[in-house]
Amino acid sequence: MMFQRCTSGLRWVLLGTLLVQGVLQAIFFAGTSVLDATPLVHIDAPYHAYQMEVARQLCSEREIQGWDPFFGGGQPAGVVGNASAKVQGLFACLDGQPSAIWPTYKASSFVFGLLGPATLVVACMLIGLSVRATVLASVLGVLMWWTGGLRWYHTAGLVSYVAMAYALIPFVIAVKRLVAAPGPVAALAVGLFAAAGFWLHPLFPVAAVLLGLPLLIVGLRDIRQPLAATGCVVAVTVLMVAVNWAWVAPTLTEKSGISNGLLYQAGVNVWLPLQEMLGRAGTAAGGTRMAIGLLVGAGLVLALRRVPHRLELVGLMLGSAVLMIWASVGAVSPGIARLQPNRFSTLAWLVLVVPAAGGLDAALSTWRHAARGLRLVLGLSLCTVALFAAFFCREVWREFTLPDGGPRYGVAPPEVKGDGEVLRRLELFLKEHTDRSARVYFENSLGRIHDGAHIAGLLAMRADRELIGGAYPGVDFANAWDDTAFGQPLSRFTPEALVQRLDDYNIRWMLCHREACRHAMQSVPGVSRVAELGPVTAFERTTAPGWVLEGQARVTARCHNRLELDDISGDRLVLRYHWVPGLRSVEGAVLRPVELVPGARPFVAIDHPPARLTLRRGAGDGLPCASRSPASL
């Protein structure tokens, strides 16, 4: 009977958490903006919307991996390079309509935000904590959502990573329960959970090991059937990888992603925990002082002897410590540095919510019957956490009410604001002053000078132009960002060398926001300054060499995973498009790679080409560009 009352109470806590978080999310998103076509143009959101459009286009051809002619002179596109928007890309694929991209992305952001704090309640339920402890976890979880480091990540567009971080906590607890009581049904359920987490974000298994291994180690004495427990863990791992093998397999062999040494979230800082507790960290999220309150609450688990489910709570605390060590000094290893270890610190603080709730609950139970000295310590601890909670309730209020431009953990409401002025001006310029005869050099910005967002994907899709600049800074050789282009600083290029690179990639228009870029372009013969577009200066060359380096051909159409050519003549055709493994001719012509630019991908060469050619990745003829629904980002 007691168990049934407890279960009922926990369900009410779960429903209450969803209700409170849902109301706050709805206010911040301004209600109907979640489902309309208004773009969410902030930091990484436009980039992920572009990835969704790529997924939609590839799905129209029944492919998950293809070739993208809009960036980098032609580069791989699809699930391999899509680390953070696979779930959103799947829904864009299933819907198939270009108008669904933004509603789908915003709905995923809203739903993930709705479920975030509720996962902490589920974690408490899996451990078996009391209703009061679960209520405390709910309160702390909601406060952490709106004022913690993951708040910044969520509004920055890393919604899948944030969802993965929250889902990870009940997952590792479920694995702990599985090894304590192994069974095929439980293993299947946990395996499907793992598969979903891995599809959600590729860092899921890394974080699961870092957090889950300490939890399993402290619970070794609970394992009664070691062989069965080991078999279940192996089965979960195999199922996780098998479900995701469609993107895991090409990832192991295909060159895609960050290159040229540009790494994100890879600093080494032994003082990171202290700096984040003071809200002074130099990381992207900056930390939160709420962490001090969580440490006080979690410390009660160690200070008190009689804490319900103490072993599990200590295991989570150890996992949090491992995550923080990884975040602070993991980047010493070049291999770990590529996994962006700094972002794991926000997960480390989040994990402490559950132990803190358990410690506070135990302190409340112990305080009345404790000796005077212990009662004083417990009272001070409880008051300290209460003061932090009250302060951060005020911080949540400020998050909603401060004028735009004030200090925040995320962005000013409403979260969905539509296009910025720079994006509108650049889009208009590309449509009115450029054409499809050549590429545009677009200088990306790590500091997001363009309306605070990475907008290259939106520009390329809306204006139907090919860009050298990458959909994201630092991706591949044929990229440009912050005074850097084609693998080196622009200052190292002589005018003659820069002309050669502009010719190699058939570039006629250049958009610069840094002075070094402006100076470099002005030094090129035949270049003139044609427009000032806010922080961006537009340049134009008198001519560009065209899409064909050798032979003759006319590009009649190009879209994702497709290039259509006509009027071909000559014994050998060399295109100013990059070759990638798997690129083929629908007509059966033999494509081969040819090295033209040191450090770049090879370019496409065809010996004895037919009069017409269609290039694509994948079997069959594919879907012509004219038969596709155009992007409406």
Side-chain angles (χ1 to χ4, degrees):
M1 190 70 176
M2 180 67 70
F3 176 77
Q4 290 177 346
R5 286 199 298 269
C6 181
T7 300
S8 176
L10 290 172
R11 289 172 180 169
W12 280 112
V13 176
L14 181 60
L15 290 174
T17 305
L18 290 170
L19 178 61
V20 170
Q21 181 69 357
V23 169
L24 294 175
Q25 282 278 95
I27 294 171
F28 211 88
F29 270 87
T32 57
S33 66
V34 175
L35 298 178
D36 65 21
T38 306
L40 200 171
V41 183
H42 184 63
I43 305 186
D44 284 357
Y47 174 62
H48 295 316
Y50 158 74
Q51 290 179 311
M52 293 171 65
E53 174 60 23
V54 173
R56 186 187 72 84
Q57 292 277 353
L58 293 178
C59 280
S60 69
E61 293 203 310
R62 299 186 178 182
E63 303 286 349
I64 62 171
Q65 187 68 4
W67 179 75
D68 184 0
F70 288 94
F71 288 101
Q75 60 186 15
V79 293
V80 171
N82 183 358
S84 301
K86 287 188 180 71
V87 169
Q88 295 88 338
L90 175 62
F91 282 103
C93 170
L94 294 174
D95 186 278
Q97 298 301 314
S99 59
I101 297 295
W102 281 119
T104 299
Y105 178 81
K106 292 184 294 182
S108 72
S109 180
F110 183 91
V111 171
F112 289 162
L114 171 66
L115 297 178
T119 62
L120 301 175
V121 174
V122 173
C124 292
M125 296 170 69
L126 288 172
I127 292 175
L129 296 184
S130 69
V131 173
R132 184 170 61 189
T134 307
V135 170
L136 291 169
S138 172
V139 173
L140 294 174
V142 171
L143 292 178
M144 278 292 285
W145 173 268
W146 292 100
T147 64
L150 289 172
R151 166 71 180 157
W152 182 88
Y153 281 112
H154 188 265
T155 57
L158 284 74
V159 295
S160 293
Y161 172 74
V162 174
M164 179 273 291
Y166 275 89
L168 191 70
I169 300 172
F171 170 75
V172 296
I173 297 170
V175 172
K176 164 72 167 53
R177 292 188 61 180
L178 174 64
V179 298
V185 175
L188 176 62
V190 175
L192 292 175
F193 193 161
F198 199 15
W199 181 266
L200 190 63
H201 200 279
L203 290 178
F204 179 85
V206 177
V209 170
L210 293 173
L211 178 59
L213 195 57
L215 185 62
L216 292 178
I217 290 174
V218 298
L220 283 176
R221 68 182 185 184
D222 295 332
I223 300 177
R224 307 300 182 192
Q225 304 175 59
L227 289 179
T230 303
C232 284
V233 172
V234 171
V236 167
T237 304
V238 170
L239 182 58
M240 177 185 70
V241 175
V243 171
N244 289 275
W245 189 248
W247 68 265
V248 171
T251 300
L252 298 175
T253 58
E254 189 157 308
K255 176 185 175 184
S256 181
I258 303 298
S259 63
N260 301 318
L262 183 59
L263 298 175
Y264 298 89
Q265 307 264 7
V268 177
N269 181 7
V270 295
W271 301 107
L272 181 63
L274 179 60
Q275 291 173 352
E276 290 203 325
M277 283 192 296
L278 298 176
R280 300 286 188 228
T283 52
T288 174
R289 285 167 287 180
M290 185 68 183
I292 300 175
L294 295 178
L295 281 174
V296 172
L300 293 171
V301 175
L302 301 178
L304 298 173
R305 293 182 179 180
R306 296 184 179 180
V307 178
H309 306 283
R310 189 171 188 264
L311 200 61
E312 288 85 351
L313 299 179
V314 170
L316 288 175
M317 293 166 64
L318 290 173
S320 174
V322 171
L323 287 168
M324 186 57 74
I325 294 170
W326 175 279
S328 302
V329 299
V332 167
S333 165
I336 295 178
R338 302 192 70 83
L339 298 177
Q340 303 182 17
N342 293 161
R343 68 165 68 190
F344 285 79
S345 65
T346 55
L347 172 58
W349 295 123
L350 180 69
V351 170
L352 288 182
V353 167
V354 176
L360 292 171
D361 179 49
L364 288 169
S365 299
T366 306
W367 180 81
R368 183 175 300 176
H369 308 288
R372 178 180 296 181
L374 179 58
R375 184 184 300 181
L376 178 61
V377 172
L378 294 179
L380 288 174
S381 299
L382 291 170
C383 287
T384 298
V385 177
L387 288 173
F388 270 95
F391 175 82
F392 280 94
C393 285
R394 171 181 172 271
E395 291 286 275
V396 173
W397 174 258
R398 286 164 58 87
E399 191 78 359
F400 281 81
T401 60
L402 275 178
D404 196 1
R408 276 189 170 80
Y409 297 89
V411 296
E415 185 156 343
V416 182
K417 300 179 178 66
D419 294 345
E421 181 62 26
V422 176
L423 173 57
R424 285 191 288 265
R425 295 181 71 173
L426 291 176
E427 179 186 351
L428 183 63
F429 174 83
L430 291 181
K431 287 180 177 178
E432 293 185 350
H433 296 281
T434 71
D435 55 44
R436 291 192 292 258
S437 65
R439 292 191 178 99
V440 178
Y441 176 104
F442 177 71
E443 186 184 28
N444 265 305
S445 167
L446 288 174
R448 304 176 297 274
I449 193 89
H450 312 100
D451 296 323
H454 297 297
I455 63 170
L458 297 190
L459 282 178
M461 296 298 94
R462 291 183 182 183
D464 192 23
R465 299 292 184 266
E466 297 182 32
L467 271 58
I468 292 295
Y472 204 85
V475 178
D476 216 53
F477 172 86
N479 202 334
W481 72 92
D482 296 335
D483 303 336
T484 302
F486 307 113
Q488 62 182 359
L490 275 170
S491 58
R492 296 184 184 176
F493 284 92
T494 65
E496 295 76 18
L498 187 53
V499 167
Q500 183 61 55
R501 285 295 171 268
L502 297 177
D503 283 349
D504 289 336
Y505 287 96
N506 188 32
I507 296 169
R508 184 174 179 184
W509 300 275
M510 294 78 74
L511 300 174
C512 298
H513 70 268
R514 296 284 287 265
E515 194 56 41
C517 179
R518 295 185 180 98
H519 177 75
M521 297 309 168
Q522 287 176 318
S523 71
V524 174
V527 169
S528 58
R529 184 187 299 231
V530 294
E532 296 293 336
L533 308 167
V536 177
T537 303
F539 297 89
E540 181 178 3
R541 301 174 71 193
T542 305
T543 60
W547 301 114
V548 180
L549 179 65
E550 187 176 338
Q552 291 184 343
R554 180 170 59 91
V555 175
T556 57
R558 50 97 179 92
C559 52
H560 285 105
N561 204 35
R562 195 173 188 88
L563 182 70
E564 300 174 10
L565 301 104
D566 205 346
D567 300 332
I568 300 172
S569 61
D571 291 335
R572 186 171 186 257
L573 185 66
V574 179
L575 304 175
R576 287 190 168 91
Y577 284 96
H578 282 309
W579 177 91
V580 298
L583 191 66
R584 53 177 284 273
S585 163
V586 171
E587 295 78 11
V590 178
L591 277 59
R592 60 184 180 86
V594 55
E595 303 289 342
L596 296 176
V597 177
R601 296 179 187 272
F603 288 73
V604 177
I606 309 103
D607 292 323
H608 309 295
R612 301 181 64 182
L613 270 178
T614 299
L615 308 184
R616 67 181 304 272
R617 293 183 76 177
D621 294 344
L623 189 66
C625 296
S627 301
R628 301 190 191 182
S629 300
S632 60
L633 297 179

